[in-house]
């Protein structure tokens, strides 16, 4: 067991964590990234990425994250294959974190980039057809279903927003919901019911995603929640939109969170209420949830961490004079 010291400790290795690391390393903060159970983050479980700036051709999510990791290492970031299981923020900077390995990490600043995970239904075929018709992100993957038949599963704000977004690409969108009314805000419901491209399918749950002859999604098996009757619906794309779970368990009672468990930051900044602790990426953003926005807020966190350290140094110098 060892103790690692750094000016900038980053928890999480998705686009937010790696971007913070690239900026932190170039500011000579010698960052440490603790990578967690999913090195590279959510993009490592997808295939085609077509909306990350800088690439004319479609790139692969895992490849993009390998490049970000390599870039962060190249400029001087230390990667740790460990998962943080405990953090101590009560006494201010420096902050202490403990890894699953038993190693201790001491950071003069702390950047939280632990992301969020889409919630899945957990039914047959869902995992196997991930990236082959089954997705949890219409903004990311909707474009691949231009002119095709798509379904959205869910009844809250996310599901209605995803269905409305998909009408930009498809004239045949079905919203499958297990109840006979939506939970989403009234204004979104009004927009949904006004669209002639969206058909709601009430009182149905999905029991399986089934591949067609080409190996990609062909249809979904459904069960009626009232009658128990079984049916199927054909679809080229299915978007599971039943919410996201931010990875904030570690920070419960230590940092303010909203009702959904997302970390709260000062508006327009990655600053948490504890000076020197910053949050970036999906862990503090339930609105945009994109790789490019995660990278952007990661950059902001590193710049603010640098400013925090400079201000501290200045204050210490003045006190010593
Ligand atoms: C299937 C799918 C396809 C997508 N496609 C696109 C797309 O095409 N374009 C796009 O812009 N966005 C896409 N997204 C969204 C994008 O992946 C996310 O917005 C982005 O990854 C968020 O980055 P992040 O750095 O905030 O967090 P994440 O990518 O979620 O990374 C979180 C990191 O935190 C680590 N971590 C968590 N807990 C701990 C801990 N206790 N200790 C240490 N580390 C920890 C994890 O190991 C992981 O490395 C897609 C998402 C999914 C699920």
């Amino acid at each position: 067991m060892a103790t690692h010291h750094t000016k900038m400790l980053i928890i999480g290795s998705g686009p937010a964590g790696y971007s913070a690391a690239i900026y932190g390393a170039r500011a000579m903060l010698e960052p440490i990234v603790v990578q967690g159970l999913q090195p590279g983050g959510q993009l490592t479980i997808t295939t085609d990425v077509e909306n990350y700036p800088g690439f004319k051709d479609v790139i692969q999510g895992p490849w993009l994250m390998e490049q970000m990791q390599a870039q962060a290492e190249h400029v001087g970031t230390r990667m740790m294959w460990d998962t943080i299981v405990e953090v101590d923020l009560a006494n201010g900077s420096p902050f202490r974190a403990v890894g699953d390995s038993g190693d201790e990490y001491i950071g003069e600043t702390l950047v939280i980039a632990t992301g969020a995970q889409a919630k899945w239904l957990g039914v047959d075929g869902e995992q196997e057809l991930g990236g082959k018709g089954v997705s949890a992100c219409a903004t990311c993957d909707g474009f691949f279903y231009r002119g095709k038949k798509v379904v959205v599963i869910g009844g809250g704000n996310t599901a209605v927003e995803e269905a409305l977004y998909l009408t930009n690409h498809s004239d045949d969108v079905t919203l499958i919901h297990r109840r006979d009314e939506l939970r989403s805000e009234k204004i979104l419901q009004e927009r949904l019911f006004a669209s002639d491209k969206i058909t709601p399918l009430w009182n149905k749950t999905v029991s399986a995603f089934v591949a067609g002859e080409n190996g990609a999604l062909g249809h979904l098996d459904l069960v009626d929640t009232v009658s128990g009757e079984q049916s199927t619906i054909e679809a080229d794309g299915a978007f599971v939109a039943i919410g996201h779970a931010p990875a904030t368990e570690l920070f419960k009672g230590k940092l303010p969170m909203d009702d959904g468990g997302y970390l709260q930051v000062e508006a327009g900044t990655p600053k948490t209420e504890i000076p020197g602790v910053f949050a970036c990426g999906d862990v503090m953003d339930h609105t945009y949830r994109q790789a490019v926005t995660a990278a952007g807020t990661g950059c902001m966190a590193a710049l603010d961490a640098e400013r925090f350290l400079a201000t501290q140094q200045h204050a210490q110098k003045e006190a010593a004079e």
Side-chain angles (χ1 to χ4, degrees), residues 128-139:
E128 296 80 350
L129 292 170
K132 292 184 210 154
V134 178
S135 171
C137 179
T139 321

Side-chain angles (χ1 to χ4, degrees), residues 106-190:
I106 310 289
E108 289 174 40
T109 59
L110 178 67
V111 173
I112 302 168
T114 47
Q117 295 288 328
K119 290 184 190 161
W120 295 96
L121 296 169
V123 300
D124 282 355
E126 187 177 46
Q127 271 199 356
E128 296 80 350
L129 292 170
K132 292 184 210 154
V134 178
S135 171
C137 179
T139 321
C140 314
D141 297 332
F143 190 70
F144 300 122
Y145 300 95
R146 285 184 302 275
K148 299 203 167 158
K149 183 175 166 52
V150 294
V151 299
V152 175
I153 300 120
N157 281 348
T158 312
V160 175
E161 279 168 357
E162 300 269 89
L164 288 167
Y165 176 81
L166 285 165
T167 59
N168 294 319
H169 303 298
S170 167
D171 292 342
D172 190 349
V173 180
T174 302
L175 181 80
I176 301 173
H177 185 38
R178 61 189 165 147
R179 301 189 211 290
D180 61 1
E181 58 182 1
L182 299 169
R183 274 182 295 110
S184 66
E185 289 166 26
K186 282 280 170 289
I187 181 134
L188 288 173
Q189 296 197 26
E190 278 167 22

Side-chain angles (χ1 to χ4, degrees), residues 10-18 34-52 65 82-85 113-118 120 131 134-137 139-141 144 244 247 250 280-283 288-295 297:
I10 301 168
I11 310 179
S13 59
Y18 284 156
V34 183
Q35 292 184 297
L37 290 176
Q38 191 178 52
Q42 293 171 62
L43 279 188
T44 59
I45 58 158
T46 190
T47 49
D48 295 353
V49 175
E50 210 175 35
N51 54 11
Y52 197 82
M65 297 319 300
D82 203 353
T83 298
I84 299 300
V85 291
T114 47
Q117 295 288 328
W120 295 96
V134 178
S135 171
C137 179
T139 321
C140 314
D141 297 332
F144 300 122
H244 284 76
L250 271 178
C280 51
D282 282 12
V283 77
Y288 301 106
R289 289 195 297 249
Q290 293 296 293
V292 68
T293 47
T297 51

Side-chain angles (χ1 to χ4, degrees), residues 6 8-10 20-22 24-25 28-33 76-78:
T6 173
M8 192 163 107
L9 176 61
I10 301 168
I22 292 163
M28 311 307 283
L29 302 185
E30 297 168 346
I32 289 179
V33 170
T77 305
R78 264 193 294 164

